[in-house]
Amino acid sequence: MMERRMDTALLVLLMGHLAAALEVPLDLLEELPQPPTITQQSPKDYIIDPRENIVIHCDAKGKPHPSFSWTRNGTHFDIDEDVNVVMRPHSGTLVVDISREKADHYEGVYQCTARNKHGTAVSHNIVIRQSRSPLWSKERIKQIVVQEGVSLVLPCRPPAGLPPPIIFWMDNNFQRLPQSSRVSQSLNGDLYFSNVLREDSRNDYICYARFPHTQTIQQKQPITVKVLNLEAINDTMAAFYNETDLFSEDPVDERKPTFLIPSGSSSSHTVLRGQVLEMECIAEGLPTPEISWIKLSGDLPTQRMSYLYYQKNLRIVNVSASDAGDYRCSAKNMLGSVHHTIHVSVKASPYWIGGAPRNLVLAPGENGVLTCRASGTPKPSITWAMNGIPIANSPKDLSRKVEEDTIIFTDIQMGSSAVYQCNVSNDHGYLMANAFVNVLSEPPRVLTPANKVYQVIKNHRARIDCAFFGSPIPKITWFKDSRSSTLDGDPYIQHDNGTLEIHTAQARNSGKYTCAARNMLGIYENHVYLEVKEPTRILKQPEYKVVQRGRSVVFECKVKHDPTLVPTMTWLKDDGELPDDERLIVDSDSLTITDVTESDGGVYTCIMNTTLDHDSASAELTVVERPDPPTDLELTDQKKRSVQLTWTPGDEHNSPIQKFLIQYDDSLHHRGHWHNLTEVPGTRTTAHLKLSPYVHYTFRVLALNAMGFSRPSFPSRMFKTEAAAPDENPKDVEGFGTEHDNLVISWKPLTGLQSNGPGLRYRVMWRQKAVESDWTTVTVSNNSRFVVSGTPTFVPYELKVQAVNDHGVGPEPAIARGYSGEDLPVAAPENVQVVVLNSTLAEVHWDPVPHKLIRGHLKGYKVYYWKERSLHKHNPYHMEKLILMFSGNHSHGMVPGLHPFSVYSFNVRVYNGKGEGPVSPTQQFDTPEGVPGAPTSLIVTNSNLDTLTLEWSPPHDRKGRITGYTLKYQPVNNSNELGPVEELALLANETSVTLPNLKYSTRYKFYLNAKTVRGAGPAISQEAVTIVDEALMSLLDVDVGEGTAGSTQSSHPLAQPPPHRLPDEALPVSPFGNVSSSVGEDGPLISWEYWGPEKNVYVEYMVENSEGEQEWQKEPVNGSQNVVLKGLKGGLSYRVRLVAKGHHDQPLHHSEELLVTVPAVASRQVDIATQGWFIGLMCAIALLILILLIICFIQRNKGGKYPVKEKEDAHTDPEFQPMKEDDCTFGEYSDNEDHKPLKGSRTPSNGTVKRDDSDDSLVDYGEGGDGQFNEDGSFIGQYSGKSGSRDTAEGHESSEAPSPINTMNSLNSFV
């Protein structure tokens, strides 16, 4: 037997892959045959409503369409003989008309049969029963009288119904009776009291039974319960029982729990698999017991269990075999506990393992298996039938073999089609299933429509169908686009039903797919298409909003979607439609709500839908407002100095109340003014208020939330406190003197709230601290200070101030301390000494003044110091006295900021709160020499071919004796490179020097600094150019022609050159010298020398001949000696002067006025480059230049020198251009030479050489002209003074004959 079963198992495994469940799609392939299949049937246990017609369902499909028949209680049911029964057309469903016959006449067991020529299918047994809802039997229920504290059970005992009724307890008003851990309903419907209380007395305990099938409710007669205590029960029942006490006189004692149900210590319960297990434990006791549950043989299934009726009922759903075991319920109170064990057994009606048998479609010669696998407890039995007839009685078939739960088909042939029934049953139920075997021979077909388009969202699962049919079962193969390979690997998954799945679709998966179905009879192909779309995503979600009522709010919802899909935006509020309100404005990507009200609060959701997907986002709107004012203010627990205030909070309007502010009004002292008293958290509605005596209180409360304070509540009633002696004394008691012989005692007076009663006054007491004396006392009213006269100077006192009113005195006051009035100190610091640390810093020392001689509070020491004179005769100086204050008890201090090489005087004084004491003897000290400042000026006075004369002024701030000067100079070539440095030491008394053997027509840069014994000071720099060889210029005048005599002056006018500076012995009154100007692109450049002491120097200017009293415009110079005046209007002349301003009581120093003319803006030139005459002129000029170059070359070869032709016209400014010494070409020079350092000198980090506030160049002096750059970059210098002020500036378009140099430049520009 064992070997036979093993062979069968191996056979099943072998043929499992040869045949699979397949059903003929009759809706698509109508011509193919198929045995019947039951598609619909009524439930096994069918309870009918007797008021309605009976409908017993039975539908089936097959080809040809099956016919139907019925059995009733195991015998054939002839429908034609019963006029009340009708079978629906094309169906086996029966409809029973009960209008002429009662429904219970048709109760019984029904079974439906559907057959065609290929087989017969049968339904399961359908048991028809009529639902019943019987009435409660009439009974008289007596009143129940019980003693308080005992247990009680009110029985329900409903009538038996079909199905069983649902029980609940209500009163006469149809309100459910309250249940608790003390009172609860059991599973059978009875009402249990663990112990009764007096409030359980009532006359309307009514049990109701609701029958769900008929939707009827039956009511039991009301039960009256009267709960009495012991004395009341005896008095009530004595009249009925010969005045004999029914109960003992002792009241009901507290007792430990006992179970009312179930009884005993253990019980058992059986439940079927998949059903609901309900167990209950109800206990009585006093106090009321608490119920708890545990499973002794394991853990409770927390996911499937729940507690009902205050843990008295344990409910487990979908019971499985693991729920079997022992459960223990425990009842416990303070006096003890009791336990009950319930043994649970789990049985099982039959259930499928792996599902019911499946239909087979086999081709002739194929093998197949029908399997009917099920289980149950106890183990079920399995029987087979074919076409409704037990298989043992069916015709023999050599291809069929039955092995318990399996039928094996081998080499099946045409004509073997049939419907097989499998019946699985045990003591708790049965399962019955139909499965057909259909023998067909069909080529493959694909049932999915051709060229179907599937659309899927990117990153989602994509499934492409290939529904197929064929016998034998076709094999499915998938291809994509070019059919280069089959789709049988990642990312593709092919299912048994032909569906191709892509777990995560991407854009590259879009395209044409081919499904090929193939079996031994042929091949069939079908083409479908897959389109992968971009997902719909909300890029900007709506955000949580908190909005105050009456304002507007906007929810944004910006979405991105596939452009080929049509989106639809929908807004919801609280998962419902938006209210129909014009305040709600829906745009393409936003929702706006105007004039928000509280009803607008909620959750708003934007949903973007397309045909394939959707996305949504939600945000909550909270409408907030300031809270409503509190109400119902009430004063309780009134005492002499406290009261309890309670209130009812107002609506907080969605913003939690943070705190309550309690205010009071004192109608006795300050009527109409509300003061803050205290605050309490927003969770409290009561406050214990501490009060002061002698106040008439009225209270109000304000609520605060995030929006602000509410309106005040209505005031409470008035509460008056009685007067009492003061509780406190004045604070901030101080003692001080305003005169040297008095003591002022002051204090902070008490408020009316602090006075505690009428007649407030102050008891002022004082005595000397160092002298044993009694307290002196005075009483003061309506004042906060008292003056004691005739006191010694600056003596310590002890002070007290005590509050007094008509009801008594305040507490003992604390002692304060003070001093009588101060007087000036009577001694000066002694042993004053000074230590000079360096040329600008000294340290002063002194001995502190004894405390008793200070006669007051020591504030500190003051050092008075002043500069008497400079040790250098050229720097007379007088400085006002300066004061350094050293707070506290100091004995030394630093004196900074001193002038080197000077004589200083100083003294020291002590000071207190009254003032300064006597002066210490005045002493003097000298400061050593320091490094001198830069020379005041450096100018070039005489410029010749190979010599230059430099003049300078000594430094204004010498800081010592000048021991000499150092002059450094170096040439600057045409490539802006600096030549070798020459250094010259000069004597201290020299103020000029002539430098011989210089190169002619060469620019030099000079640096001059002064020296003292402490070292050299900063240098002043200057630039100058030696005069060009005038013999060459004479040749140019002769060769070019006399046109130069009439050449115009430069378009940049110069001011009149200043006179030479006077020697030091005859300094002019004005501290300015060498004031000059030149006009550049940014505006006129004003340069000067300055040797005055004032630091505030500025330039003033105004338009010449201006009408009215026009004010001078100011331009600060910030310590430099040149400034560019920007923003001046072209074509106008300006008066310019320099101003030095000292202290407010000193006069202003002015320089001589300078007249500066700003040239007008040149008009646009006419383009004459294409004119014939201009071209001829340029050719002539080019010829002249060639002749000039030849002459220059000849002169250089000869090496001779020619006398310089003197100028006949002193007012003419002949132009010249420096030439390179070696090649006689026109040199180039850049204006940035000042930024090149001396060779071998240290260069600052910014790569420039500091010029010590001097930007001097050739244009700064009378002998120099206006330095400018020609169009080819060459430098043109003019070395003659300005003949006079011109009213208008001449532009570049002068019609007069040009100079040779300008002519050459024009030619270069043309070339």
Side-chain angles (χ1 to χ4, degrees), residues 487-498:
L487 306 179
D488 53 3
D490 187 60
Y492 300 101
I493 302 173
Q494 185 171 328
H495 295 279
D496 293 340
N497 64 355

Side-chain angles (χ1 to χ4, degrees), residues 12 72 307 345 387 441 474 484 557 636 671 694 734 755 792 820 864 881 902 996 998 1215:
V12 171
R72 178 183 176 185
Y307 294 110
S345 300
N387 295 329
S441 180
S484 59
C557 188
T636 59
R671 177 186 294 274
Y694 196 54
E734 295 180 348
S755 66
S820 58
Y864 285 74
K881 288 185 178 181
S902 302
L998 300 179
E1215 298 179 350

Side-chain angles (χ1 to χ4, degrees), residues 190-332:
D190 295 343
L191 191 63
Y192 283 78
F193 294 79
S194 295
N195 52 76
V196 293
L197 304 176
R198 291 291 297 275
E199 56 263 26
D200 294 329
S201 297
R202 62 189 308 155
N203 59 2
D204 56 352
Y205 285 96
I206 305 174
C207 181
Y208 289 87
R210 181 169 66 87
F211 297 90
H213 210 79
T214 58
Q215 294 299 318
T216 58
I217 297 177
Q218 302 294 346
Q219 174 183 339
K220 185 183 177 74
Q221 290 296 321
I223 301 175
T224 300
V225 175
K226 190 171 185 180
V227 181
L228 301 175
N229 57 24
L230 180 61
E231 183 179 354
I233 292 177
N234 286 329
D235 293 342
T236 302
M237 304 302 292
F240 298 97
Y241 296 96
N242 299 322
E243 299 182 358
T244 302
D245 289 347
L246 296 178
F247 303 97
S248 66
E249 295 183 0
D250 296 330
V252 176
D253 294 330
E254 293 183 344
R255 59 193 182 278
K256 71 176 186 177
T258 59
F259 281 114
L260 297 176
I261 54 171
S263 59
S265 61
S266 63
S267 60
S268 62
H269 190 88
T270 301
V271 65
L272 293 180
R273 174 184 178 273
Q275 294 186 354
V276 177
L277 169 63
E278 286 189 297
M279 298 174 286
E280 67 177 347
C281 285
I282 301 177
E284 65 90 20
L286 188 65
T288 302
E290 295 181 356
I291 306 297
S292 60
W293 294 83
I294 62 172
K295 186 179 181 183
L296 299 176
S297 55
D299 296 329
L300 291 172
T302 55
Q303 300 297 324
R304 296 182 288 112
M305 59 164 280
S306 60
Y307 294 110
L308 303 177
Y309 302 113
Y310 303 92
Q311 289 200 320
K312 298 176 184 179
N313 190 322
L314 176 61
R315 189 171 190 265
I316 300 176
V317 299
N318 193 21
V319 171
S320 65
S322 63
D323 296 323
D326 292 332
Y327 294 79
R328 187 173 74 181
C329 63
S330 300
K332 181 181 180 181

Side-chain angles (χ1 to χ4, degrees), residues 936-937 939 951-953 1059-1064 1067 1074 1089 1091:
T936 305
S937 63
I939 59 175
E951 292 185 2
W952 62 88
S953 299
H1060 293 301
R1061 178 173 171 182
L1062 299 175
D1064 289 344
L1067 283 174
N1074 290 336
E1089 293 181 15
W1091 49 81

Side-chain angles (χ1 to χ4, degrees), residues 952-983:
W952 62 88
S953 299
H956 173 69
D957 195 358
R958 304 191 183 192
K959 299 180 182 179
R961 294 184 179 87
I962 301 298
T963 60
Y965 295 92
T966 299
L967 175 65
K968 296 180 181 181
Y969 60 95
Q970 59 188 145
V972 182
N973 62 19
N974 292 324
S975 60
N976 302 331
E977 294 180 353
L978 296 172
V981 178
E982 300 288 341
E983 184 171 335

Side-chain angles (χ1 to χ4, degrees), residues 19 39 159 242 254 457 549 736 899 954 1057 1110 1132:
T39 58
N242 299 322
E254 293 183 344
I457 295 297
R549 184 174 56 191
F736 56 91
H899 288 266
Q1110 183 181 1
L1132 297 179

